[in-house]
Amino acid sequence: MTILLTALLVMIFSFIAALVISIIRPRLLVKSVLPALGLTFVLAVIASYFVLPAWTMLSLAGPNLVALLVFSAIFYTLARTSGEGVPDKSINISALGGAVILLFLLVLLVRSLFGYEETHEAIDNNSQVADNPPSFSEEETPVQVAPESARNKMQKAMSEVDNAQFYDFGDIQAQVIDGEPMYVANVDYTNLFRWFRGDGTPGYFQISAVDPNDNPTFVESSMQYTNSSFFNEKLNRVIFSAFPSWYQSGSTYLEVDEEGKPWYVQTVYQNRTLTWHTDHTNAQVVVVDPETGEASKYKADNAPSFIESSYSPAMASDMNDKYGKYGQGLLNYMFGKEDVLIPNENGTENKVTPVFDADGNMSYFTDFTSPNEDSDSTLGVSFIDARTGELRLYNGEEYTGAMDTQGARGIVNRQFPEKEWTGSMPIMYNINGNATWVVNTLDPSGLFRQYAYIKANDADVYAFGETAQGALENYRSALASTDEGVEASEADREEAQGTVDRVVITSGAEDASLVQFKLEGDDTLYVYNTSSDADAVLMKEGDEITFTVNRSEDMGTVQEITDQPW
């Protein structure tokens, strides 16, 4: 029914033209007008079924112009072949209708050209600007595995699915399940024949988004209405039928509730008044039950609690684009380029990367660079709250001279040319007051190999490790060994002493080892690089030691052990 009504809306100007022509020349009604209307309506139904134009003036103006041209062409052809001829007034009527639509589209175009700054301002009103992002905490900040690695493992696990040849993976979506960051991927049909033969897709895969050693789990849950279904079971058609006056942002994605039941989620929006610009401040989210096709719509921040991403990655990417480029309007972006920020396109989903904070809240990360084509430095980073759409921009002094995501990936790529390992999913954190890129290192098959920590404004300071914690320890050791790190540590250095309670020795950068220890009655984790004190590997529990240390939160970088028993 929604498609039929859409076709009628698409033909408003065609009906007006037909009515006026019938009044001017009544005898053309049966021979030319009604057949032309009927055929145009059939074509409009078919086109509406596949195009799904929203029920707004902005969306229906173009289709109305096309339908009017089609109706006019069919009517003129039938009128001539019937021998009745084409009245001059009917030509004028069609031309007038087309002129009205074109004038409306022209007004929209002009209004939209002057609407960029307003769109930026609307986003800016729901944004925060600060110097540096919150400090990294190894116990609270989840360091994520690149989705390419998760996808690789899921593909290898497809044998768990019955009739696996029928199916393929859909989009991978990051979310929190039972308090843990996870990746979820729905199983999709491969083609129309498989959909016709199948009786719903069998379920979805899930895998940890922070544990590179985790293996995917297949969860059985039959889904009839999916992205890969056809005809009336295709999700975008289901959503359009329920809410035809809303635009859909990007593709639908899967989220899982507390009971493990999957739901499809789609961000929907409307445009700002008389423009083609998205109204980012009024985004809403549609939730579809894939078993029944029932759809419900919520305001973004009032969606069911299990939904992390009321704002889609596509919506977040568009927000970054409008916010960074058009603070002073379209003309400034095109010519002056004052205060213009260009969002990089190295994200994992629609140019952004989903990341989690210590509380399990999800945001979309990206970094900004200069409009100068030769620039490879970042001008700041943004985090867009996936639930509320709030944009947080960080562009403090720590970003001065900092490399962008492309530069961070390049450093990783150059470290392992013989293995062809590459950098993926760069995310910037604030570690010990330093803007730091954390990058996944993947092998050619997409499997995770190491983490890389890279100081954003000094390409010579970096470290690798097979675990996030190990790489962090190596990186802090590398920071302490730099001139800047030594100066900083001397300024904040203090003396400490105590009895060693626990100690472990791990591999560090180059040929050095890292001695990690705790003292009795002290929760601080101390790290000591043995590059200048090889005997420190002899440390054992019960040793009485005195040392100088540079403290940072719950961790201390030991500069020198001044009194020891070995």
Side-chain angles (χ1 to χ4, degrees):
M1 180 60 70
T2 305
I3 297 298
L4 296 179
L5 292 175
T6 304
L8 292 175
L9 291 173
V10 164
M11 291 184 60
I12 289 176
F13 277 78
S14 301
F15 284 120
I16 293 173
L19 177 62
V20 176
I21 293 171
S22 298
I23 293 174
I24 295 172
R25 187 75 67 84
R27 58 189 178 189
L28 290 175
L29 178 63
V30 176
K31 291 184 178 180
S32 304
V33 175
L34 290 181
L37 274 179
L39 184 54
T40 304
F41 180 73
V42 171
L43 295 174
V45 169
I46 295 173
S48 298
Y49 187 77
F50 291 100
V51 177
L52 303 178
W55 288 10
T56 67
M57 289 191 298
L58 306 177
S59 184
L60 294 173
N64 258 280
L65 179 59
V66 173
L68 179 60
L69 292 175
V70 171
F71 165 76
S72 299
I74 297 173
F75 165 71
Y76 296 150
T77 301
L78 293 177
R80 285 195 178 95
T81 56
S82 68
E84 293 292 340
V86 180
D88 292 338
K89 289 184 179 180
S90 67
I91 298 176
N92 295 335
I93 291 167
S94 296
L96 178 62
V100 170
I101 298 174
L102 286 174
L103 179 61
F104 176 69
L105 292 173
L106 180 61
V107 170
L108 289 180
L109 175 61
V110 174
R111 174 71 179 86
S112 296
L113 289 176
F114 291 93
Y116 284 90
E117 193 168 353
E118 295 175 10
T119 302
H120 170 276
E121 184 178 352
I123 300 172
D124 189 46
N125 289 337
N126 190 36
S127 69
Q128 298 180 15
V129 179
D131 287 342
N132 295 307
S135 298
F136 178 94
S137 170
E138 62 269 22
E139 294 182 354
E140 296 181 349
T141 306
V143 178
Q144 291 168 234
V145 181
E148 299 101 304
S149 183
R151 175 175 287 275
N152 182 286
K153 288 187 175 182
M154 289 180 180
Q155 287 175 333
K156 295 183 186 312
M158 269 297 279
S159 58
E160 298 180 26
V161 180
D162 292 338
N163 297 315
Q165 70 278 8
F166 277 38
Y167 309 107
D168 199 355
F169 287 109
D171 296 331
I172 288 183
Q173 175 68 16
Q175 58 195 271
V176 173
I177 300 177
D178 293 332
E180 294 295 327
M182 305 288 288
Y183 287 124
V184 170
N186 50 298
V187 175
D188 278 345
Y189 294 109
T190 55
N191 53 46
L192 175 62
F193 175 75
R194 302 302 191 191
W195 169 79
F196 184 76
R197 289 281 306 275
D199 185 23
T201 58
Y204 61 91
F205 281 95
Q206 65 180 39
I207 188 172
S208 173
V210 295
D211 182 3
N213 297 315
D214 192 30
N215 290 313
T217 301
F218 178 69
V219 181
E220 293 186 6
S221 183
S222 179
M223 290 178 271
Q224 199 74 29
Y225 298 85
T226 72
N227 282 323
S228 60
S229 299
F230 290 84
F231 304 116
N232 290 340
E233 292 182 0
K234 193 169 183 64
L235 279 174
N236 64 339
R237 213 161 272 131
V238 171
I239 295 169
F240 175 79
S241 295
F243 308 103
S245 61
W246 292 78
Y247 297 94
Q248 300 181 37
S249 172
S251 60
T252 52
Y253 40 92
L254 202 67
E255 296 222 26
V256 179
D257 67 16
E258 295 82 359
E259 284 74 41
K261 175 179 171 57
W263 301 80
Y264 275 102
V265 177
Q266 172 69 71
T267 303
V268 296
Y269 66 95
Q270 293 179 327
N271 286 333
R272 299 180 62 79
T273 306
L274 287 179
T275 75
W276 280 301
H277 296 294
T278 300
D279 185 359
H280 303 94
T281 63
N282 190 34
Q284 301 197 18
V285 60
V286 174
V287 182
V288 181
D289 186 332
E291 291 184 79
T292 65
E294 181 180 352
S296 303
K297 181 166 62 66
Y298 306 88
K299 290 186 176 180
D301 54 356
N302 289 333
S305 59
F306 68 87
I307 294 176
E308 267 77 43
S309 49
S310 296
Y311 278 71
S312 68
M315 177 71 77
S317 181
D318 186 60
M319 290 176 65
N320 281 322
D321 193 70
K322 299 297 190 299
Y323 181 82
K325 293 179 179 178
Y326 304 113
Q328 298 189 37
L330 177 63
L331 293 180
N332 177 70
Y333 167 67
M334 296 176 63
F335 302 107
K337 299 191 183 300
E338 182 179 352
D339 297 327
V340 169
L341 306 173
I342 305 297
N344 263 316
E345 300 182 0
N346 291 313
T348 60
E349 297 181 23
N350 286 97
K351 306 176 186 178
V352 296
T353 298
V355 295
F356 298 95
D357 64 15
D359 298 321
N361 301 313
M362 195 171 85
S363 297
Y364 296 112
F365 168 85
T366 196
D367 70 315
F368 294 95
T369 189
S370 166
N372 184 348
E373 293 182 0
D374 297 327
S375 174
D376 60 357
S377 61
T378 187
L379 299 178
V381 301
S382 77
F383 292 82
I384 296 178
D385 191 302
R387 180 90 178 179
T388 67
E390 180 189 53
L391 186 150
R392 302 183 300 278
L393 177 69
Y394 300 99
N395 59 353
E397 293 182 0
E398 287 297 328
Y399 298 97
T400 302
M403 72 188 78
D404 62 7
T405 49
Q406 197 62 34
R409 294 177 66 177
I411 288 177
V412 175
N413 296 348
R414 290 193 293 272
Q415 298 305 308
F416 308 100
E418 72 287 351
K419 297 180 180 179
E420 298 182 353
W421 291 1
T422 57
S424 176
M425 197 179 177
I427 303 173
M428 185 174 284
Y429 295 100
N430 176 10
I431 298 180
N432 287 33
N434 296 279
T436 302
W437 286 111
V438 177
V439 187
N440 278 245
T441 303
L442 307 181
D443 66 18
S445 65
L447 288 176
F448 172 86
R449 292 302 178 184
Q450 290 185 332
Y451 288 108
Y453 286 60
I454 306 166
K455 189 176 181 182
N457 57 9
D458 189 346
D460 293 327
V461 181
Y462 58 85
F464 290 85
E466 294 182 359
T467 66
Q469 178 67 26
L472 176 63
E473 293 165 358
N474 294 343
Y475 176 65
R476 281 178 165 156
S477 177
L479 282 175
S481 67
T482 63
D483 292 340
E484 181 180 337
V486 170
E487 292 174 2
S489 63
E490 287 177 350
D492 300 323
R493 188 176 296 180
E494 61 183 76
E495 187 173 79
Q497 61 182 0
T499 303
V500 176
D501 183 43
R502 299 185 67 181
V503 61
V504 62
I505 314 296
T506 60
S507 298
E510 298 180 352
D511 296 328
S513 296
L514 292 179
V515 178
Q516 303 169 73
F517 62 91
K518 285 190 173 183
L519 302 178
E520 293 180 357
D522 186 351
D523 290 332
T524 303
L525 175 65
Y526 296 101
V527 180
Y528 184 44
N529 189 319
T530 66
S531 57
S532 59
D533 185 7
D535 290 344
V537 297
L538 300 175
M539 183 186 296
K540 64 181 185 298
E541 296 176 7
D543 284 345
E544 297 283 343
I545 61 173
T546 302
F547 55 93
T548 56
V549 61
N550 175 239
R551 297 181 185 272
S552 174
E553 298 179 357
D554 56 355
M555 189 168 186
T557 301
V558 177
Q559 305 299 327
E560 182 182 9
I561 299 179
T562 56
D563 187 15
Q564 77 283 338
W566 54 85

